[in-house]
Amino acid sequence: MADVKPGEGTYAVTAAVAVVRLLDGSERYVYRNGRFDAAGADAASVAHLESVGLVRKEPVPVEGAETTETPKDPEKSEAPEDPKPATRSRTTK
């Protein structure tokens, strides 16, 4: 288990809810997919939540790092264009 110190990183909640103890002694409920900054949280509380699998540390984005994702061309449409649009004709008797 990594040492967790206040102010180190952002954490995401993986469980339905996690109760994070803050530095001032109060508690904060953070729900699934919610995020919190460890700067305002009690280090022991964050370490416990991580050890039981309720939260996970978010990766730190590196500025200026290259991505492997190819940028999408904004001028091209996602769906192929249908050369002949479907038409419906109605005949009445």
Side-chain angles (χ1 to χ4, degrees):
M1 178 169 68
D3 290 333
V4 180
K5 297 177 184 172
E8 286 188 358
T10 301
Y11 287 80
V13 176
T14 56
V17 66
V19 181
V20 181
R21 188 175 307 121
L22 303 178
L23 291 174
D24 64 3
S26 64
E27 295 174 334
R28 178 176 166 209
Y29 284 72
V30 184
Y31 296 94
R32 179 175 286 133
N33 298 325
R35 288 165 173 56
F36 65 93
D37 187 3
D42 177 64
S45 172
V46 175
H48 172 72
L49 293 170
E50 188 175 26
S51 72
V52 295
L54 298 178
V55 300
R56 67 176 157 73
K57 189 165 187 172
E58 291 286 280
V60 178
V62 179
E63 289 184 30
E66 293 185 25
T67 62
T68 57
E69 185 178 320
T70 306
K72 293 182 180 181
D73 188 0
E75 295 177 13
K76 291 185 179 180
S77 173
E78 291 287 327
E81 198 174 306
D82 189 8
K84 193 162 90 173
T87 59
R88 296 178 106 185
S89 63
R90 238 176 125 148
T91 57
T92 58
K93 293 186 180 181

